[in-house]
Amino acid sequence: MRALLLALTALALSACATTQTGTGPSGPGPTGVAWTEIEIAEGACFGFCPIYTITVTPDDRYALNGERFTRHDGETSGRLAAGSFQRITAILQRHDAASLPADITMNNPANCGRTMMSDLPDFRLGLTGPDGRQDIVWYPGCADSPYREALSRIREQVREAYQYESLVAPKR
């Protein structure tokens, strides 16, 4: 009887898991949340910070809306290097993005902390999966935020994965 209960519990738990199969750093197997779209956006500052939104899909396609101070203002689309979406997904999973709170801004002192810097562009993630969309807004000026290090790394690493320097950053 005990073995039957354990088997049923394991079966029930596995039915609730949301995974996608692929090749991760340690080989084939589950790689975590099965996102169907990842949206990354950065907002305005008092200077010339690029204001844009880029949406990436599992087939490594992107749609970019460069609002201001970007390499190409307006809408563009294309294909990223093979495996870019998977690399972005791995970065987000490594830093546990799915567990981040939605509001890490000055409007939420519990997540922002007490020390704040001004004139920084916000960073937004939109993670769409089979169960809906999760939005995360982070203001990098939240100097005491317990999420600051993880989000700084996410921003730096996903920029590299979606080719920020060649797609978004203005020519220097």
Side-chain angles (χ1 to χ4, degrees):
M1 182 69 170
R2 187 176 187 182
L4 178 61
L5 286 174
L6 286 172
L8 288 174
T9 301
L11 181 61
L13 289 173
S14 68
C16 293
T18 303
T19 61
Q20 65 187 33
T21 303
T23 303
S26 58
T31 57
V33 179
W35 288 308
T36 56
E37 183 178 273
I38 297 171
E39 182 181 279
I40 300 154
E42 293 190 57
C45 67
F46 290 119
F48 297 99
C49 302
I51 303 169
Y52 70 96
T53 303
I54 186 168
T55 304
V56 184
T57 55
D59 61 356
D60 295 320
R61 294 198 175 275
Y62 73 88
L64 173 63
N65 181 16
E67 291 181 41
R68 283 190 304 180
F69 311 121
T70 57
R71 184 168 295 255
H72 304 284
D73 290 348
E75 295 182 9
T76 59
S77 61
R79 185 178 291 276
L80 297 172
S84 293
F85 184 86
Q86 192 65 22
R87 281 190 293 283
I88 293 169
T89 298
I91 291 163
L92 296 171
Q93 289 172 345
R94 186 170 42 250
H95 297 290
D96 203 14
S99 71
L100 292 170
D103 182 7
I104 308 166
T105 68
M106 292 182 279
N107 297 329
N108 190 340
N111 292 331
C112 182
R114 297 177 59 107
T115 307
M116 291 170 240
M117 300 174 275
S118 65
D119 192 29
L120 296 172
D122 64 348
F123 179 79
R124 299 178 304 279
L125 288 171
L127 309 173
T128 304
D131 297 328
R133 181 176 163 114
Q134 173 188 7
D135 288 303
I136 301 161
V137 180
W138 171 52
Y139 179 65
C142 293
D144 297 334
S145 174
Y147 309 103
R148 183 181 170 120
E149 184 176 331
L151 282 159
S152 293
R153 289 179 190 225
I154 287 172
R155 182 179 58 191
E156 174 188 327
Q157 292 170 10
V158 298
R159 276 180 168 185
E160 186 177 313
Y162 66 79
Q163 304 163 9
Y164 173 87
E165 288 298 323
S166 62
L167 288 177
V168 177
K171 291 183 182 177
R172 297 180 179 117

